[in-house]
Amino acid sequence: MRLLFTTLCSLLFSLSVFAQKKADIPTIYIDKSGVMRWSDTRQEASFYGVNYTMPFAHAYRAVNYIGKNHKEAIDRDVYHFARLGFNAYRIHVWDVEISDAKGNLIENDHLDLLDYLIAKLRERNIRVLITTMTNFGNGYPERNQNTGAFSYLYDKCKIHSTEEAIVAQENYINSFVKHVNPYTRLSYKDDPYIVGFEINNEPCHADTPQQTESYINRMLSAIKKAGNNKPVFYNVSHNLGHVQAYFNTAIQGTTYQWYPIGLVAGHTRKGNFLPYVDDYGIPFFNVKGFDTKAKAVYEYDPADITYSYMYPAMTRAFRTQGFQWITQFAYDPIDIAWANTEYQTHFLNLAYTPNKAISMKIAAEVAYKVPMYQKYAKYPNDTVFTDFHVSYAQDLSELNSTDKFFYSNNTASSPVMPEQLQSVAGCGSSPIVKYEGTGAYFLDKLENGLWRLEVMPDAVQIEDPFSKPSLKKEVVTIAWNTWAMEVRLPGLGENFTVTAINDGNAYNGLSKGAGISVKPGVYLLKNASYTPSAEWGKNTRWNDILLGEFVAPEAHAKTFSVVHQPAKVIESGKPLPVEAQIVGPSFPDSVIIYTDKVSFWSDKNPSVKMKRIHGYTYGAEIPADMINEGLFRYNIIVCKDNKNYTYPAKTEGNPLDWDYTCSEYWESAVVRAEDPLVLLKITDEYSDVEAYGIPETSYVLRNFVTDLTSANSLKFRFKVTDADARFFWRKYIRDYVSKRKDRLEKSKYLCVNLKNTKGINKLNVGFVTSDGFTYTAVVNLDKDGLYKVSLSDLRQVKTALLPSPYPTFLERYFEPDIQIPFATEKIEMLEMSTVDDIINDATLDLGSVWLE
């Protein structure tokens, strides 16, 4: 039935959208000042949305692997694009999947799906920017499949300068823009919903700037011969020695990307990254022709994080630089988002990352509301701007305007004008919506006494989504539960009626005061004494959706998952709070903590029962008398229907069973309250220490040095290719200090063990705080052994933006305008860095680091 309703929705949209005459649809043009404007109103245009790659490469193959239908998947995802308020879509087409060695266009399933996707985006009033070529393989994260296409015949850095390759590209791009979409019956060049074309994705120009200019002009000529009048864009953020060549050509738009904290960390990064996105400075803004070209962001993402506070801040930075097209990379298709296999370093989907998705909805409003070139104060004085607010401490994005109230996480803010609210979207709770579930929800005013409520199912992260990907590994699970929700909206009052309108949902009821019970679905909430002025039903069109549309993955938590991070270090003589996320096909009957001291043979086995605090969060406090010095080890046992499941082993059974054989535990180091606060202990070649060079052409080599008579160390050797190179070491240590607040408050010295220093005279040592600010002191390296730095000597310095941002022209340091005193309770990151120039192959051995 759900599939039938989706098909009906699609048909109804097609009939209404395609009935509109092409001449009635406004298009985009770029004026002499490089501003994209609407053809009908001449007003500035602003676009915001995502990349999405279902028709091609891994996404296409993965949907085949799991036996799903590509077009149905596109229908579902495009509906969510509309719910998130997007009006823009960008794709870099995998030319290797729709072309041959001569650049002839191949009509196949990939091209058909692209056509279908473009038609479905049109139904939702979403505009399209197409990058016609990628010029690389279709494999990632798998191996490439050689299709015999022209891009497989040439090196990416030679494909733009080899004559045979250029001829193939001329043939291909000419055919591509003339291709007629059978679903819209329009060629790409004539479709008013296609804003324009970018020639290729992240080109590599290894020859002369003159050759680059010639290549672009040949591509422009091939597109023009096809009859194209749309703007053509080119990437100008790569190959910086060729920048003037780009602007010498007749391209009308330029494209840029932004990955502010690098890519593919292999794990979730932590910290305050707002200083990283305070500004998107373009160093070549004064080259000839720069001010005549429109600016588009083809890809951007704060990769490897699950935070929800970054998107609006980045979008504001783009608007400050005059960007009018902003598209994130990349939105995960709903059918494979549970595994995040498409792009390991990115993770975004409304169902699976609801907080980030709502942050994207808020960022879209930034793109639409913040004027081009509007300037703002420097961080941290720019976390509140116009109607928007971002907060690292709360992991929050927020829009609070007269008619819209959106929030990505729990908020204490009240709507500025609740009586004028038209739309609410959020995760968690606010003064107008109290909700215990973890999915997103949307409330939209239809009439004064009538609102539409859409509730997504719960999403619970159970694995690190940024570690090595696999379709055999679930990183976020979906659960459907009925939760209490308190709704206080203008015109609705209390004791309002609740009527489900999505397919398969038959709920009808009356609220108790402002409280209702809802499962995932779509509902009409009506003031009990209000009579609507129009008929509202599931097939009623409202903006770019039908009221009864609802898209959500089915529950797929087949077994219990326990998500828990043990404390790195705890103090003896103090109770230990323990918290875990527990999700499964149902709620547990009970949850118990056992230590490693329990035994089948003992009649006295101490245990602690965990209680559900809210949602899927369970908590308990382990008494101090159960914790001994050394190593505290424990299990969490989930009990359901007379069966026990023990974690972290993820096995059926109980440590008190006679035949239980697992010996996996969570563990925390136990120290005395007066012991030094250890920040770094060298245990292996990595030891959670990240090493960087600025610029990256200079780099660090490392070796693990085992010393059986004393402490281990890491030997670093420096490869210096830049005279002014600086080297940095960082370790996230918040987890090490969070349980030792008293000891942290009493600490006076930062102690560092260093030896075998050669070619290095000084080091900066200190910390990065939760403000994103850096505080260091200089150490003169004149001995082997212990260096003690008084915390009172730490001074605020500029913050290195590590890992390196892309594009490479961006600033590598953030220097705040204000001084914030150093506070030990804000410590998050240990940092050390070189001060002066050092010689090539200089060395340094790093041992333990602690506070005392």
Side-chain angles (χ1 to χ4, degrees):
M1 288 297 292
R2 185 172 297 167
L3 176 59
L4 177 62
F5 182 63
T6 301
T7 304
L8 176 61
C9 291
S10 178
L11 178 61
L12 290 170
F13 269 124
S14 298
L15 292 173
S16 60
V17 173
F18 295 135
Q20 190 177 11
K21 294 180 180 179
K22 177 186 170 186
D24 297 334
I25 302 171
T27 56
I28 295 300
Y29 73 95
I30 298 174
D31 69 14
K32 294 181 180 180
S33 299
V35 177
M36 286 192 286
R37 297 187 181 277
W38 290 108
S39 59
D40 55 347
T41 65
R42 303 298 192 263
Q43 295 297 307
E44 294 174 3
S46 186
F47 297 96
Y48 189 87
V50 290
N51 287 250
Y52 169 76
T53 66
M54 175 60 75
F56 299 103
H58 174 75
Y60 175 86
R61 297 190 301 270
V63 169
N64 281 335
Y65 299 157
I66 61 177
K68 297 287 187 178
N69 182 283
H70 295 87
K71 290 181 179 178
E72 292 173 9
I74 287 171
D75 290 341
R76 293 191 288 270
D77 288 320
V78 172
Y79 169 71
H80 281 167
F81 296 169
R83 289 309 289 134
L84 292 172
F86 300 157
N87 69 351
Y89 166 75
R90 181 259 181 181
I91 187 171
H92 55 59
V93 172
W94 272 263
D95 53 285
V96 296
E97 294 191 320
I98 59 171
S99 68
D100 64 14
K102 299 296 184 180
N104 296 312
L105 196 66
I106 299 174
E107 303 274 348
N108 58 18
D109 197 33
H110 299 291
L111 189 57
D112 179 68
L113 286 172
L114 178 60
D115 289 333
Y116 182 82
L117 172 59
I118 289 170
K120 291 300 169 180
L121 292 164
R122 175 189 176 114
E123 291 175 6
R124 307 289 184 176
N125 202 30
I126 296 172
R127 304 291 173 133
V128 179
L129 176 63
I130 300 178
T131 302
T132 67
M133 296 177 279
T134 60
N135 297 142
F136 58 72
N138 66 349
Y140 186 87
E142 306 167 83
R143 291 186 182 276
N144 286 340
Q145 298 179 348
N146 194 336
T147 61
F150 65 87
S151 283
Y152 276 129
L153 302 179
Y154 308 95
D155 179 82
K156 184 174 174 67
C157 291
K158 291 295 182 181
I159 199 168
H160 309 122
S161 57
T162 303
E163 179 60 25
E164 295 86 352
I166 295 174
V167 171
Q169 290 171 82
E170 288 175 319
N171 181 30
Y172 167 80
I173 204 167
N174 178 279
S175 300
F176 182 85
V177 299
K178 291 190 299 186
H179 167 71
V180 176
N181 183 335
Y183 300 99
T184 64
R185 299 182 182 180
L186 294 169
S187 67
Y188 290 168
K189 67 183 177 63
D190 293 326
D191 187 339
Y193 278 82
I194 296 178
V195 167
F197 304 99
E198 183 186 26
I199 293 174
N200 48 36
N201 183 73
E202 300 181 354
C204 175
H205 290 292
D207 291 279
T208 66
Q210 292 74 22
Q211 191 283 324
T212 296
E213 188 174 333
S214 172
Y215 166 80
I216 296 172
N217 285 333
R218 287 180 66 172
M219 293 300 106
L220 289 171
S221 177
I223 296 174
K224 186 175 182 179
K225 287 177 181 178
N228 174 66
N229 293 313
K230 296 181 184 297
V232 179
F233 294 74
Y234 205 79
N235 182 297
V236 299
S237 61
H238 289 67
N239 316 290
L240 295 185
H242 297 236
V243 165
Q244 188 60 68
Y246 302 144
F247 288 95
N248 288 343
T249 69
I251 58 170
Q252 291 179 272
T254 55
T255 68
Y256 302 73
Q257 90 277 45
W258 197 7
Y259 297 118
I261 51 177
L263 295 167
V264 197
H267 60 89
T268 300
R269 291 196 177 279
K270 297 179 180 180
N272 184 351
F273 299 109
L274 286 175
Y276 291 59
V277 298
D278 196 57
D279 181 50
Y280 187 88
I282 302 173
F284 47 85
F285 68 91
N286 57 352
V287 303
K288 184 179 179 181
F290 179 88
D291 56 358
T292 66
K293 315 292 187 186
K295 293 189 286 294
V297 178
Y298 66 99
E299 295 177 9
Y300 92 100
D301 195 45
D304 300 315
I305 61 173
T306 58
Y307 297 125
S308 69
Y309 66 87
M310 288 282 278
Y311 289 123
M314 294 181 73
T315 305
R316 178 198 60 217
F318 286 135
R319 292 296 290 166
T320 295
Q321 292 293 341
F323 284 92
Q324 294 178 269
W325 180 280
I326 304 169
T327 39
Q328 182 268 358
F329 191 92
Y331 191 92
D332 287 80
I334 193 169
D335 286 328
I336 58 173
W338 54 271
N340 192 34
T341 58
E342 188 184 25
Y343 290 99
Q344 170 189 349
T345 195
H346 308 289
F347 194 28
L348 176 67
N349 179 277
L350 174 57
Y352 289 89
T353 65
N355 306 82
K356 290 180 72 173
I358 295 298
S359 180
M360 281 285 288
K361 183 175 179 67
I362 295 166
E365 295 295 324
V366 175
Y368 308 148
K369 291 175 178 288
V370 168
M372 293 173 64
Y373 302 111
Q374 178 72 50
K375 302 296 184 183
Y376 294 94
K378 203 169 191 177
Y379 173 83
N381 293 322
D382 59 357
T383 56
V384 177
F385 57 102
T386 62
D387 298 326
F388 303 94
H389 172 216
V390 293
S391 169
Y392 164 62
Q394 297 171 267
D395 186 20
L396 175 67
S397 301
E398 188 174 83
L399 163 62
N400 195 351
S401 66
T402 55
D403 62 339
K404 295 175 181 176
F405 186 38
F406 303 159
Y407 42 91
S408 69
N409 219 327
N410 295 319
T411 180
S413 301
S414 295
V416 291
M417 299 190 73
E419 68 281 358
Q420 295 189 31
L421 271 181
Q422 300 293 316
S423 182
V424 176
C427 294
S429 292
S430 72
I432 59 170
V433 179
K434 305 293 185 187
Y435 184 58
E436 200 170 349
T438 63
Y441 51 83
F442 304 85
L443 284 150
D444 296 288
K445 186 177 181 180
L446 306 178
E447 295 188 22
N448 286 331
L450 184 68
W451 288 74
R452 178 188 188 268
L453 167 65
E454 181 175 354
V455 181
M456 293 293 290
D458 300 325
V460 182
Q461 182 181 316
I462 59 175
E463 295 282 354
D464 189 334
F466 306 113
S467 62
K468 187 174 177 61
S470 170
L471 283 170
K472 299 175 183 178
K473 182 181 71 173
E474 184 181 25
V475 298
V476 171
T477 197
I478 296 294
W480 285 52
N481 282 299
T482 298
W483 295 105
M485 177 181 278
E486 184 179 295
V487 182
R488 299 187 180 278
L489 290 169
L492 195 58
E494 297 190 349
N495 302 316
F496 48 85
T497 63
V498 183
T499 305
I501 60 170
N502 63 293
D503 190 52
N505 189 353
Y507 180 83
N508 283 278
L510 187 69
S511 70
K512 295 181 179 179
I516 59 177
S517 292
V518 291
K519 67 178 182 179
V522 180
Y523 305 84
L524 293 182
L525 311 182
K526 186 180 73 68
N527 185 309
S529 61
Y530 180 75
T531 301
S533 61
E535 290 290 331
W536 298 95
K538 68 179 185 179
N539 294 325
T540 303
R541 180 158 186 170
W542 180 79
N543 293 338
D544 295 316
I545 69 170
L546 299 182
L547 287 188
E549 284 189 273
F550 181 65
V551 171
E554 299 292 345
H556 50 79
K558 305 302 183 185
T559 60
F560 285 103
S561 295
V562 176
V563 184
H564 171 63
Q565 292 295 324
K568 298 286 188 182
V569 182
I570 59 177
E571 293 180 355
S572 59
K574 294 182 178 180
L576 174 64
V578 174
E579 193 171 275
Q581 298 282 311
I582 301 175
V583 61
S586 60
F587 286 102
D589 293 332
S590 61
V591 181
I592 300 170
I593 297 175
Y594 284 138
T595 74
D596 63 343
K597 306 304 181 186
V598 301
S599 169
F600 165 75
W601 301 104
S602 175
D603 293 329
K604 295 181 179 180
N605 288 299
S607 65
V608 176
K609 187 173 183 179
M610 300 188 78
K611 296 180 179 180
R612 192 173 71 84
I613 302 171
H614 59 82
Y616 300 93
T617 302
Y618 288 72
E621 186 172 84
I622 298 175
D625 59 13
M626 288 178 62
I627 302 172
N628 298 317
E629 287 186 30
L631 201 61
F632 178 64
R633 307 198 302 172
Y634 56 98
N635 296 122
I636 294 177
I637 295 85
V638 176
C639 309
K640 181 67 179 181
D641 296 335
N642 297 317
K643 289 186 177 180
N644 295 334
Y645 306 89
T646 297
Y647 300 84
K650 301 180 182 179
T651 185
E652 186 173 344
N654 187 305
L656 294 181
D657 294 341
W658 72 270
D659 58 349
Y660 185 83
T661 59
C662 293
S663 58
E664 292 184 51
Y665 301 93
W666 282 296
E667 56 186 42
S668 300
V670 184
V671 299
R672 297 172 300 173
E674 63 271 20
D675 286 343
L677 204 167
V678 177
L679 306 177
L680 171 63
K681 186 176 181 180
I682 306 302
T683 56
D684 55 38
E685 186 176 3
Y686 184 55
S687 298
D688 293 329
V689 176
E690 295 185 328
Y692 302 96
I694 297 180
E696 287 67 41
T697 47
S698 295
Y699 57 94
V700 178
L701 301 173
R702 69 168 81 198
N703 292 102
F704 177 51
V705 180
T706 302
D707 190 330
L708 299 179
T709 60
S710 59
N712 300 332
S713 61
L714 285 176
K715 178 178 286 293
F716 293 98
R717 188 156 56 93
F718 303 88
K719 290 302 191 180
V720 181
T721 59
D722 308 272
D724 58 348
R726 294 291 178 268
F727 298 93
F728 292 79
W729 299 263
R730 278 187 176 175
K731 179 183 178 182
Y732 184 81
I733 58 172
R734 188 66 186 167
D735 297 337
Y736 290 82
V737 302
S738 61
K739 300 297 183 183
R740 304 198 64 194
K741 294 180 180 179
D742 292 341
R743 189 67 185 87
L744 180 63
E745 185 178 349
K746 295 175 182 177
S747 296
K748 302 297 182 184
Y749 297 97
L750 173 61
C751 303
V752 184
N753 262 323
L754 299 168
K755 59 183 180 180
N756 298 327
T757 57
K758 182 184 73 173
I760 303 177
N761 299 317
K762 297 178 180 180
L763 279 185
N764 289 314
V765 296
F767 303 100
V768 182
T769 68
S770 57
D771 294 319
F773 289 4
T774 303
Y775 302 82
T776 63
V778 177
V779 170
N780 294 308
L781 302 181
D782 53 10
K783 63 179 180 180
D784 278 0
L786 176 64
Y787 290 85
K788 295 179 71 171
V789 177
S790 173
L791 298 184
S792 62
D793 290 337
L794 298 183
R795 296 291 180 266
Q796 183 177 313
V797 297
K798 59 186 179 182
T799 292
L801 305 182
L802 299 168
S804 60
Y806 297 98
T808 57
F809 62 66
L810 292 170
E811 286 291 334
R812 298 306 314 274
Y813 298 93
F814 172 79
E815 192 159 4
D817 288 339
I818 64 173
Q819 291 287 319
I820 297 179
F822 173 66
T824 55
E825 67 270 16
K826 293 184 177 182
I827 289 174
E828 288 201 335
M829 199 92 64
L830 172 68
E831 179 178 290
M832 293 176 285
S833 64
T834 58
V835 178
D836 301 319
D837 297 343
I838 65 176
I839 63 172
N840 195 32
D841 285 328
T843 62
L844 177 148
D845 288 9
L846 172 63
S848 298
V849 180
W850 66 92
L851 288 169
E852 66 176 34

